[in-house]
Amino acid sequence: MSTTADLVPHALRDSAAGLDALVSAVGHLTAEDLAGPSTLEGWTRGHVLSHVAGVGAALLGQARAAERGEVVPVYASRAARDAAIEAGSGRTLDEHLEVLSRLRDDLSRTWPAPASPLWDAPSGYRDGPLSGCVLAWWREVRIHAVDATSGTAEPIGYGTWDDTLCGHLRAFLAVRLPDGVVVDDIAGDPRDVTVWLAGRVPATPLPGELPELGPWPTSSR
């Protein structure tokens, strides 16, 4: 099983590729696409893009704090996070592109080199090391790139989740399963199981009766 340290180089590369793909796709969307419903209940595609920008900025802040030898919360509060998503949801296409492109540049400059000891520095994310922040960003950008573009002419499908990401997601999201149930108990294609664990609808329905999933792991546990 891969450790967090083993995953950091891949997470850096694949999260960068994921954000590149999202920026490219967003550049071809329309104002109607942005205002349309995403796959997430109650959120437009604009809300999803605002969240991607917000969580990216929050995790970027963790890297900057680690450089200073500080530990700070990921968000000032849940209310502040939600308010920022709502405020950013109405950005124009050009504004979304500007924010996401600037975030891409900032992340590229700020993440430590893959072998840097700074990855072991404490962070405010789940009371763990900075390495956990890049794994969180990897999950967020790859998952929400699908959410933000589904139903448009520029869909980013679940096929963009490589085997390494799928394995990581299954391990991370296994806590959503009820007591006594493990991921291997869920029949179906491994990618479809991963999509289901992430609370999304897989391409092929999973067979049998499925257990009810618990909440998504929060940034504090």
Side-chain angles (χ1 to χ4, degrees), residues 5-211:
D6 293 334
L7 288 172
V8 165
H10 187 84
L12 284 169
R13 291 191 301 270
D14 197 52
S15 60
L19 185 53
D20 283 345
L22 180 59
V23 170
S24 178
V26 171
H28 293 91
L29 300 185
T30 66
E32 290 74 19
D33 289 330
L34 293 177
S38 73
T39 57
L40 301 180
E41 185 177 356
W43 274 13
T44 65
R45 296 186 184 94
H47 281 90
V48 179
L49 294 176
S50 178
H51 172 53
V52 171
V55 71
L59 295 170
L60 176 67
Q62 293 296 303
R64 288 172 170 162
E67 285 183 337
R68 301 190 303 268
E70 298 176 5
V71 176
V72 299
V74 176
Y75 294 105
S77 68
R78 178 74 184 205
R81 167 196 176 273
D82 293 347
I85 292 171
E86 190 64 37
S89 66
R91 291 178 182 130
T92 65
L93 179 61
D94 286 345
E95 288 169 340
H96 279 296
L97 283 171
E98 179 183 358
V99 170
L100 291 171
S101 297
R102 184 169 62 248
L103 174 64
R104 176 173 58 183
D105 293 343
D106 288 344
L107 288 169
S108 177
R109 286 192 299 264
T110 306
W111 285 131
S116 171
L118 198 58
W119 290 113
D120 294 325
S123 79
Y125 177 73
R126 297 168 66 87
D127 296 323
L130 182 63
S131 56
C133 295
V134 75
L135 299 190
W137 171 239
W138 181 32
R139 295 189 295 268
E140 292 285 332
V141 71
R142 278 299 188 183
I143 291 172
H144 290 312
V146 179
D147 296 329
T149 59
S150 179
T152 73
E154 299 289 327
I156 297 174
Y158 296 119
T160 59
W161 296 5
D162 67 16
D163 290 344
T164 304
L165 175 62
C166 287
H168 168 63
L169 285 172
R170 286 192 294 274
F172 179 74
L173 297 173
V175 296
R176 302 191 71 191
L177 293 168
D179 290 344
V181 179
V182 298
V183 174
D184 288 345
D185 293 334
I186 308 301
D189 179 86
R191 184 178 306 280
D192 290 331
V193 172
T194 305
V195 172
W196 171 75
L197 271 175
R200 275 70 178 172
V201 179
T204 302
L206 299 178
E209 184 175 349
L210 297 171

